[in-house]
Amino acid sequence: MLRRYFFIFTACALIAASSGCGVIDYFFVPTPEETALELFQAGQEEMAQEDWADAVEYFTKLRDRFPFSPYTVQAELLLANSHFNDGKYAEALQAYKEFESLHPSDPRIPYVLFQIGMANYKSMGSIDKPQHQAAEAVEFFRRLIQSYPDSEFAPKAKDHLLLARRRLAEHELFVADFYWRAERFGSAWERYSFVVEQYKDIADVAAYAEKRSQLAFLERQQRSAEQARAEKHGSWKDWFNWL
């Protein structure tokens, strides 16, 4: 048995010697990993071809494998951009917010704030749904305008701030109109009045809400008066109870 093992070992050694270092390298030398620069360049190439998923893969590898590379900070931002361009707004929001948290003094923060606002803006739900994304878009557009008024992104933020606020106002009108149709005039009046107070700068919305709030108030007063008379004197329907 020992002679058999010795023969096998000797044969393997001869094969290895005859083929140089190739066999040893194949089994024992690890495959060289891509460098940070190679991953960065590969991600950029995929972005140029609009292959966002592959770009995300390269930039994620770079971020995870080389956290202290000089290319990593830029890769983190390009990772967020790749998610955004691919329409993956939830993933883009997380990546942009992580970038802001990790690099608060980076000169590209105004751009990051704008992109957070835009990712929220593009993922806003229909008017009958809660408008959490619109509210957060308003928050980040305002932060950009207030903190970086001279930024090249401030004018764009002002335009989209108005659009996001209009969506919030229209949602409030949707709810108020629902209360009106349900003849819940007190709730409708409160909602219309809220729109008038909070969205004076959106002229058409404020004008509609003002008119409807007045009507809702009158209906509310009339219903209250009728209820008071009924409680004091009884409803006119009571006169027909004997029939």
Side-chain angles (χ1 to χ4, degrees):
M1 181 65 72
L2 291 175
R3 292 179 61 188
R4 182 180 178 187
Y5 285 144
F6 178 78
F7 174 78
I8 293 173
F9 177 80
T10 303
C12 291
L14 290 173
I15 292 173
S18 64
S19 59
C21 298
V23 174
I24 296 175
D25 289 346
Y26 181 81
F27 286 104
F28 298 105
V29 177
T31 302
E33 290 187 349
E34 296 161 303
T35 66
L37 177 58
E38 288 172 338
L39 289 170
F40 184 74
Q41 291 175 336
Q44 286 185 311
E45 290 173 3
E46 297 301 337
M47 288 191 75
Q49 298 175 24
E50 298 187 359
D51 193 339
W52 311 118
D54 283 350
V56 165
E57 182 177 352
Y58 282 118
F59 292 133
T60 301
K61 284 182 180 178
L62 171 54
R63 180 196 63 188
D64 295 343
R65 293 180 184 176
F66 305 97
F68 304 109
S69 167
Y71 301 101
T72 301
V73 175
Q74 177 68 6
E76 289 171 347
L77 187 54
L78 294 179
L79 171 62
N81 287 346
S82 297
H83 281 310
F84 184 90
N85 292 336
D86 199 24
K88 308 290 186 181
Y89 299 121
E91 291 85 348
L93 278 170
Q94 180 178 351
Y96 285 127
K97 288 179 179 180
E98 286 180 357
F99 186 93
E100 183 197 7
S101 176
L102 292 171
H103 315 289
S105 60
D106 191 283
R108 292 163 292 190
I109 288 298
Y111 168 76
V112 171
L113 295 178
F114 179 73
Q115 287 297 99
I116 293 175
M118 287 302 300
N120 276 292
Y121 179 80
K122 288 182 174 291
S123 56
M124 290 189 302
S126 59
I127 199 67
D128 59 322
K129 305 295 184 186
Q131 297 297 306
H132 303 305
Q133 293 88 354
E136 186 164 279
V138 167
E139 175 190 348
F140 278 89
F141 288 141
R142 277 180 172 161
R143 279 186 57 193
L144 170 57
I145 294 166
Q146 294 170 1
S147 300
Y148 305 94
D150 298 326
S151 167
E152 62 178 298
F153 301 102
K156 297 178 183 178
K158 290 178 181 178
D159 293 339
H160 285 88
L161 172 62
L162 181 60
L163 293 173
R165 292 188 71 251
R166 173 176 285 274
R167 173 58 68 90
L168 291 174
E170 289 175 347
H171 172 72
E172 291 296 325
L173 289 182
F174 175 86
V175 175
D177 288 342
F178 170 81
Y179 286 142
W180 173 272
R181 291 191 297 270
E183 298 186 354
R184 296 172 59 181
F185 299 114
S187 298
W189 171 69
E190 290 176 357
R191 287 280 183 159
Y192 289 130
S193 299
F194 176 81
V195 173
V196 172
E197 180 64 28
Q198 296 297 320
Y199 300 98
K200 295 176 181 178
D201 55 315
I202 308 177
D204 58 324
V205 169
Y208 174 84
E210 176 68 28
K211 180 178 179 181
R212 300 296 288 185
S213 68
Q214 293 173 0
L215 293 174
F217 181 79
L218 292 175
E219 288 288 345
R220 174 174 174 268
Q221 293 297 94
Q222 182 177 345
R223 290 295 178 91
S224 297
E226 290 176 355
Q227 183 178 357
R229 283 197 301 270
E231 291 174 354
K232 183 176 182 179
H233 302 293
S235 172
W236 60 269
K237 295 179 182 179
D238 296 338
W239 292 94
F240 296 92
N241 287 339
W242 59 273
L243 294 177

